[in-house]
Amino acid sequence: MTTQPRTEKGQQTQAKLLATALECFAKDGYKASSMRAIAAKAGVSLSHAYYYFKSKEDIVAQLLLNLRREQYEQCSGMLNEGNTLEANIRAVLDSGVEALARYHDFGPAFLRLMLSRDMGNDEIWRIELELWEKVVAGSRPLPPMGIRRDLPKFLLLVSRQIFSAWAFDQSPQQRRSRLLMKNMAPVAAKFAVLCRLPVVRSLFEDVLALMDPGPAELAEAAESTPAQLRRPKAS
């Protein structure tokens, strides 16, 4: 878990370590970059570096948290009341991929964090959920009352499934997963409208239950992630 600095100097040191780590990852690769090398290049002691980041995984977690905050700020002014649900969904997905595009190589590491029970993931989840709540609350017409409370969580989970595809997408500029995002927005919006029908609303609840794993399933998924996060060969 990353230690959040309380002073301006501490914030500057943490930011310097993060920027230096990204430089090392870009030049030498994630696996070859050690905390010792990152600290030395940043000009701080190793113990000082470990005070701010317990591991390289913590550095990646802080990066993803920063990117989600960046996305939240960018989207807040775009999700104006009166947009259709489809338009709001598209805005969030588009801003997300734009924020993350520079760090596609970190996709598997980001995904591993999202599958974990780490405190960093809790904060990232909170930001994402607040963003999807804005999507639903600002949409006009409002989604059916029967699913309105759970729809933000449903959209968050769907977006994370799409993120999984993006993380391993080896097509030029992740064209395949971007197309998936583009097509998902109208489908999700139409599904929400159809949830006015009791039978479809029941299906919505069943799908949400399948997508939202309990603590035991989440822990099992996180433990098995390292063996699964092997980048596929480009087709």
Side-chain angles (χ1 to χ4, degrees), residues 46-181:
L46 182 59
S47 60
H48 205 181
Y50 275 123
Y51 173 78
Y52 292 104
F53 297 107
K54 307 301 181 187
S55 64
K56 291 190 296 183
E57 289 75 15
D58 268 2
I59 293 175
V60 172
Q62 184 64 46
L63 172 61
L64 182 56
L65 179 58
N66 290 351
L67 292 172
R68 286 306 187 206
R69 286 171 175 164
E70 176 184 320
Q71 180 191 7
Y72 185 93
E73 292 300 321
Q74 180 182 346
C75 278
S76 292
M78 300 168 59
L79 303 177
N80 299 318
E81 186 173 312
N83 291 346
T84 64
L85 180 60
E86 177 182 343
N88 278 347
I89 293 173
R90 281 291 306 276
V92 172
L93 293 178
D94 288 347
S95 65
V97 76
E98 289 305 319
L100 294 168
R102 294 167 290 169
Y103 304 102
H104 182 255
D105 288 346
F106 292 98
F110 286 155
L111 185 58
R112 181 179 177 183
L113 171 66
M114 289 178 173
L115 289 172
S116 75
R117 303 178 68 184
D118 188 87
M119 289 293 290
N121 185 32
D122 290 345
E123 178 66 11
I124 293 166
W125 174 278
R126 183 190 64 78
I127 293 172
E128 291 181 17
L129 185 59
E130 284 188 14
L131 195 52
W132 287 111
E133 287 172 346
K134 283 179 174 287
V135 164
V136 173
S139 298
R140 294 295 181 272
L142 283 168
M145 179 64 74
I147 67 164
R148 201 175 300 166
R149 184 189 66 179
D150 292 327
L151 186 56
K153 187 176 184 180
F154 176 82
L155 292 172
L156 189 161
L157 291 167
V158 169
S159 70
R160 286 198 166 192
Q161 293 296 320
I162 293 176
F163 177 85
S164 300
W166 175 87
F168 293 105
D169 188 354
Q170 297 300 303
S171 62
Q173 298 183 331
Q174 299 78 55
R175 196 160 45 207
R176 294 173 184 168
S177 52
R178 285 174 183 261
L179 180 61
L180 178 61
M181 294 177 194

Side-chain angles (χ1 to χ4, degrees), residues 112 115 218-227:
R112 181 179 177 183
L115 289 172
L218 198 60
E220 182 180 351
E223 289 175 1
S224 64
T225 299

